[in-house]
Amino acid sequence: MQEFTKTHKLEHTATKTKANLNISSQNSPMTFHNTIHGEVFGSVQTMGTSMPEMTFQSPSAILSKQHSDVQEKQPLDLTLFLIRHGEASHNVLEKKAKQEALQQALAEGLKADDELTKERMELARKRVLCDDNLFDAPLSDMGKEEARRSRAALASIANAENLTFPEEILVSPLTRTLETANLIFPDHDDVHVREELRERCTGKPPDSRSSTKQLRSRMSFCRFSMNRLEELTALQQVQQEWEIKKEEENKAMLRERTRQLFRLLAECPPNRKSIAVVTHKAYLRELERGPFGDPDSPEFKNGEIRVYKIRLHPETESIELADRIV
């Protein structure tokens, strides 16, 4: 088993956004301002007498403060298993298109490492992704076999490194990741599907997901928790706009989105010390090269597993360290 002891300087992580409701009056109508980070988003006026300025907080904020007054949350040391899905049907066509473009370039006297050859291969790869038949692409037969091998590999890693088997699973809502999670964790009761973990939004069919209703109808997914998918978040609205306009989420945007993983980890029960995340190549690349502080991290292969020890600060939803151990 190859041993890793890499510790990287982590990028700064964003803290929670807090919204306050401020009420003020100076011998004038009372004005309610809804502010976030000091920006006024709207106001309502009502007649009233002069009263001192007051600040109201939401019940959750008050409870949070009361809890922190009693005991500040301590950092959590977690084992994090990062897993890329097995080969999907569109991956098969991508490889075929690139190989055909390479053979054509070689036949014309170009070399494999020529820039023109690389451009042709990349163009050919992107072209096949526009096929509507690849909507929410499932695993290929090879991808299913890769997922089964990943199941055995994960058990072997946990045993060899004396690690706790993942107690909670977080998975992207695209079909290829759901199928991968089902094959690696066939009897697991704590599998949670989260929108935040999906692949980079390209507007192309393979990266567009099925509806929650369609996903729930699959017998192999029925034990997965999909409650959070039914909440139309700001993230989902943006993703829908990208898909409608066929616009792409760039790498910088995706890297920033990967920071939301720390919030998802903070939401897990505090007794969970080992968590697996089943997601995609681009997502994992930006997570490692950005928040995990490893700019030279190679891209994940299909079905690959990497294991990190991380220290999470639940209050700020940020991490202090990320050590790759496998």
Side-chain angles (χ1 to χ4, degrees), residues 37-53:
H37 291 313
E39 296 183 42
V40 178
F41 284 85
S43 62
V44 178
Q45 289 191 335
T46 180
M47 294 302 296
T49 59
S50 176
M51 62 183 295
E53 184 174 340

